[in-house]
Amino acid sequence: MSKKFVFILIFLHLAIAVPLALTLNIWVDEASTLYTTKSGFFQTFQNIFTDEKQAPLYFLILSLWRKLSDSVFFAQVFSMIFSVAAIFAFARLAKRIWEEKTAIFITAIFAFHPFLIWASFEIRVYSLLIFLSCLLFIFFYDGCLDDEIISRKGANAQRRAQIFYVLTAVVALYTHYYLGFVLVGAFFALLILRHFAAAKTYFMLMLAVGVAILPLFYIINLQFSDRISTFQEEKSFIEGARTLWNHFLTFVLPTEIYPTEEITIFSVFRLWIVRVAFLAALIVFVKNKFKVTDKIIVSFGTIFAVCAMFFLFVYFQLGVGYIETRHAAVFFVAVFVFASAVFVKILPRKSWIFVTVLYSIFSVYGIYALYPNLTKRGDWARIAEYIEKNETENQPIMMFQVYDAIALPVYYKGKNRILPDEKFFSFFIEAEAGSVESYRNQLEFIIKKIPPDVWEIWLLTNDKCEVKRTCEPLEKFIEANYTIIEEKDFYKEKIRLLRKK
């Protein structure tokens, strides 16, 4: 695969990602990243463990990057660098797995996948996860999966790949804990392929990785002990499996990356396409007398299956909020390679033009569905503009949820305080979603933060207040003490100007 072709793919990828980055506001998780990394390396290190409660490496590197510029777009460029690197790395992986024309075709699909484009300018760790996944699979293939590498390149090349795999695995785990699921999945893939000598070597490599990440075990225990002890919704295996099935569908044939409550025609059409593909794969499987000899299908399918089992474990321990689509970035590449290998196996090359057209339609729709009205949830840029145009002095801005109060300051440069101004990471759901007790402590905290000597306040509430009785304590307080002067809806956010009675 020529470098010129890869550069063309990268140019076209950026031609989509850069305009979207310049147009769209950031949402609260991205604001959290900016908040965590705004005060330099050492303060970031502290914030990671007290607030973000995540693996440290991404945030530490970003804090250094932001020393060059603290603009929102510059932070987005940091993510774009890794999405570009991921396209380069995937092209190399594809070249190892498939012959030239097939590798070109699959790499082009990867470069324009809506999930990669979404991650490309998200100020979070996800594009880095995709890049690290590609590197892991390259070195895993060269170091453990490629049976002929010694005859072609020599034993030194294999050992070098294994060393790079260990180093990448250590970096991966210090970047995101969930990438450990991929490492375990790769070990099981070798066992299922009956590559027992390679599996033994792999196990020894993982012992080296384990020694290198010993500090993480203590950190993980501290970070998640409080999450496990908080209230969690009732869970079921079916609900967890359905969530993972939706992730699989999204990565195989994208429609809505974040599904809406209403089922769209694209989702229905996608579901039937995947069902037909499964049927075709089953027919091929039966014809082969239930033997799958393609080691790429077996290995990457196994890696995804193991990751899925770990995700189910996380679901039962921490809840559905910890296995959302964005977290599944750790197995995006595995699912994509697995589905692509099955596709190449069951479909004749003559049908690829039709597949290209179909995939293009779904991809364009997937990107469009991500950003209704060209905004991300919260619509903070437009809200800030609206308040600045209509505010007067001594009108504090009150926010539910408290966590959202770190997002508005990214855009708001007006004359009033944004409250609450503390405990942004301190509140979680307290009871069944939609119940009057679900956020009672947080709502009481917000009410106490309202300055008693002001006559007018701006109140911003997110879409959680639309669910049953969630915000009843706050709404009763407003009804008893304030009159609504103005009210306006934005994407996933409502804004009201209140005057004291």
Side-chain angles (χ1 to χ4, degrees), residues 188-406:
F188 277 95
L190 292 174
L191 292 179
I192 291 176
L193 287 169
R194 303 178 69 82
H195 291 192
F196 297 124
K200 182 180 178 181
T201 301
Y202 187 92
F203 183 79
M204 301 305 295
L205 296 176
M206 289 302 100
L207 288 180
V209 173
V211 172
I213 64 164
L214 280 175
L216 283 182
F217 294 106
Y218 176 71
I219 293 168
I220 292 171
N221 181 60
L222 288 179
Q223 289 180 337
F224 287 99
S225 58
D226 62 331
R227 301 294 174 93
I228 293 174
S229 62
T230 57
F231 171 82
Q232 295 183 34
E233 297 278 1
E234 186 176 343
K235 308 178 189 77
S236 71
F237 177 82
I238 293 175
E239 182 62 30
R242 183 184 294 116
T243 300
L244 294 174
W245 170 246
N246 286 333
H247 297 344
F248 179 83
L249 289 177
T250 295
F251 295 156
V252 171
L253 189 59
T255 54
E256 299 90 3
I257 301 259
Y258 290 100
T260 59
E261 292 184 1
E262 297 181 2
I263 299 177
T264 64
I265 186 65
F266 277 89
S267 295
V268 174
F269 192 34
R270 187 263 304 273
L271 182 60
W272 279 102
I273 291 174
V274 173
R275 284 173 175 171
V276 170
F278 266 114
L279 180 60
L282 181 61
I283 293 171
V284 172
F285 187 53
V286 171
K287 284 185 175 180
N288 288 334
K289 298 181 179 180
F290 299 98
K291 293 181 180 179
V292 179
T293 57
D294 191 314
K295 66 182 179 182
I296 299 303
I297 293 177
V298 173
S299 55
F300 283 87
T302 300
I303 290 169
F304 165 65
V306 171
C307 287
M309 286 189 288
F310 274 111
F311 263 63
L312 277 176
F313 173 78
V314 172
Y315 165 71
F316 281 107
Q317 290 295 310
L318 300 174
V320 72
Y322 288 84
I323 61 165
E324 293 185 2
T325 307
R326 59 186 186 273
H327 305 129
V330 297
F331 60 68
F332 164 61
V333 177
V335 171
F336 186 84
V337 172
F338 167 71
S340 299
V342 173
F343 155 78
V344 169
K345 197 78 172 178
I346 66 177
L347 288 180
R349 186 166 292 180
K350 292 180 180 179
S351 67
W352 288 10
I353 295 177
F354 170 75
V355 172
T356 302
V357 173
L358 183 68
Y359 187 85
S360 299
I361 294 171
F362 273 82
S363 293
V364 170
Y365 171 74
I367 296 170
Y368 166 78
L370 264 173
Y371 309 114
N373 302 317
L374 283 179
T375 185
K376 296 182 183 180
R377 62 177 301 123
D379 208 353
W380 303 113
R382 293 175 186 171
I383 286 177
E385 181 183 15
Y386 179 82
I387 294 176
E388 288 174 12
K389 285 182 179 179
N390 295 281
E391 69 180 345
T392 59
E393 290 187 5
N394 207 27
Q395 290 179 333
I397 303 166
M398 307 302 305
M399 303 192 67
F400 172 80
Q401 294 187 353
V402 174
Y403 182 53
D404 290 349
I406 61 176

Side-chain angles (χ1 to χ4, degrees), residues 1 89-107 110 133-142 145-148 152-153 293-301 303 332-345 349 352:
M1 189 184 308
F90 187 86
R92 295 190 65 179
L93 177 64
K95 190 175 180 179
R96 284 162 166 75
I97 296 173
W98 296 292
E99 54 90 19
E100 181 80 6
K101 290 183 179 179
T102 304
I104 289 173
F105 178 71
I106 301 299
T107 302
F110 177 81
S133 298
C134 291
L135 286 185
L136 284 171
F137 292 140
I138 289 171
F139 299 135
F140 174 65
Y141 186 89
D142 288 350
L145 206 59
D146 187 353
D147 300 323
E148 301 174 358
R152 294 196 326 271
K153 299 181 179 180
T293 57
D294 191 314
K295 66 182 179 182
I296 299 303
I297 293 177
V298 173
S299 55
F300 283 87
I303 290 169
F332 164 61
V333 177
V335 171
F336 186 84
V337 172
F338 167 71
S340 299
V342 173
F343 155 78
V344 169
K345 197 78 172 178
R349 186 166 292 180
W352 288 10

Side-chain angles (χ1 to χ4, degrees), residues 380 383 386-387 395-401 408 419-420 443 446-447 450 456-462 465 471 474-479 482 484 486-490 493-499:
W380 303 113
I383 286 177
Y386 179 82
I387 294 176
Q395 290 179 333
I397 303 166
M398 307 302 305
M399 303 192 67
F400 172 80
Q401 294 187 353
L408 186 58
L419 297 170
L443 293 169
I446 291 169
I447 290 170
I450 299 175
E456 293 182 342
I457 62 172
W458 294 95
L459 178 65
L460 278 64
T461 53
N462 65 22
C465 280
C471 289
L474 178 62
E475 295 300 332
K476 284 186 175 181
F477 176 82
I478 293 168
E479 185 178 353
Y482 291 91
I484 300 174
E486 293 182 35
E487 183 172 337
K488 188 173 178 62
D489 289 322
F490 292 84
E493 197 78 18
K494 176 182 287 187
I495 181 169
R496 286 174 282 184
L497 177 61
L498 308 177
R499 181 176 296 161

